[in-house]
Amino acid sequence: MYNDKRIRIIVGHYGSGKTEFSVNYAIKLVEKGKKVALVDLDVVNLYFRSREKEKNLSESGVRVISSSIKASAVDIPAISAEAYAPLQDKTYETILDLGGDPVGARVLGRYHDILKEEDYDMFYVLNANRPETSTLDKTIGYLNAIEGTGRVKITGIINNTHMLKSTTIDDVLKGQKLAEELSKKLEIPIKYIVALEDIAKKLPKNLEGEIFPIKLYMREDWML
């Protein structure tokens, strides 16, 4: 993960787990002594957004930037101008967590002049258990729509096939098969294979991509 470019854009269908990945990614970078900013650019979905964990993330050392309206009970699709700072400040490792559909990628338009190809990676988070991304054709269509709307190119695939706390090894391997088909078809590398820590330990070591163990920060203990 430390060979990724300084700016990482995380996209994927709603329910793919892109925000959970973004939060885990940010915390892992901080644990390695990096200066990290997580920018919540999700102006589509009202739930399970990284801004909900701002207090916890800040305590961990992650700078969280989201809505310009600082009110926990209000959700207004207004992105703070503060988001420009970590994009331009090269001392930051920056993660952009986008909304979960092509419409969510539209917000990247305002940063188009900043996002130079050599400066960013854009990772497509794939959950093969989502009906909308369960086949190769559906997944390609969704990926192309995000690229077209955001005017940026996806540089890596993340297999995050899960069923939340009920995820099995078979779920992950099912997603890996689809991710490999997608990678071959579009010539985009598989970067990470995401799984809960206990599942990650049991995965085969010869899979394409780096195994990325995660914790469930975005779901409370009482949630399934």
Side-chain angles (χ1 to χ4, degrees):
M1 64 183 290
Y2 309 111
N3 292 325
D4 297 338
K5 294 180 181 175
R6 185 182 69 82
I7 297 171
R8 292 89 158 175
I9 305 167
I10 313 300
V11 298
H13 194 276
Y14 174 71
S16 64
K18 62 180 181 54
T19 294
E20 193 72 78
F21 172 78
S22 298
V23 169
N24 274 270
Y25 197 122
I27 290 173
K28 286 179 186 292
L29 286 173
V30 166
E31 289 173 347
K32 291 296 182 180
K34 304 294 185 180
K35 182 179 177 182
V36 181
L38 175 56
V39 184
D40 180 354
L41 293 181
D42 190 343
V43 296
V44 177
N45 178 38
L46 303 183
Y47 306 103
F48 299 108
R49 291 171 51 175
S50 50
R51 63 180 289 184
E52 297 174 18
K53 299 298 179 181
E54 182 171 358
K55 182 176 183 294
N56 307 76
L57 285 163
S58 296
E59 290 173 351
S60 297
V62 179
R63 178 181 178 185
V64 180
I65 300 169
S66 56
S67 172
S68 59
I69 310 299
K70 299 298 183 182
S72 59
V74 178
D75 194 280
I76 298 175
I79 302 299
S80 172
E82 192 181 356
Y84 282 97
L87 289 174
Q88 296 172 314
D89 185 344
K90 295 185 183 298
T91 66
Y92 273 100
E93 301 291 321
T94 302
I95 300 166
L96 306 182
D97 179 14
L98 264 63
D101 60 18
V103 173
R106 188 172 297 160
V107 73
L108 286 177
R110 71 169 66 185
Y111 309 111
H112 186 69
D113 292 339
I114 298 176
L115 294 172
K116 305 300 182 183
E117 188 168 350
E118 66 275 16
D119 291 333
Y120 77 87
D121 273 313
M122 183 158 154
F123 296 145
Y124 179 78
V125 180
L126 170 64
N127 181 359
N129 283 333
R130 297 292 299 179
E132 300 85 352
T133 53
S134 59
T135 69
L136 182 60
D137 287 344
K138 287 180 179 180
T139 302
I140 290 174
Y142 206 83
L143 184 152
N144 288 339
I146 289 174
E147 286 187 328
T149 303
R151 294 191 295 163
V152 288
K153 287 292 183 182
I154 287 168
T155 63
I157 299 164
I158 297 172
N159 172 20
N160 189 33
T161 301
H162 67 86
M163 291 292 289
L164 299 173
K165 296 177 182 178
S166 300
T167 303
T168 66
I169 294 174
D170 287 342
D171 286 316
V172 179
L173 295 180
K174 168 188 171 181
Q176 186 69 7
K177 183 176 184 295
L178 180 57
E180 289 175 359
E181 292 174 357
L182 180 64
S183 174
K184 183 177 180 180
K185 182 74 173 181
L186 300 185
E187 298 183 341
I188 300 172
I190 299 173
K191 290 294 296 186
Y192 302 111
I193 304 152
V194 178
L196 293 171
E197 291 175 333
D198 59 331
I199 297 294
K201 295 175 184 177
K202 302 173 185 176
L203 291 174
K205 305 303 180 185
N206 61 345
L207 297 177
E208 182 181 348
E210 178 182 343
I211 295 175
F212 193 103
I214 65 165
K215 299 177 181 178
L216 290 181
Y217 290 104
M218 295 304 301
R219 300 191 72 81
E220 305 300 335
D221 291 340
W222 54 268
M223 293 180 177
L224 297 177

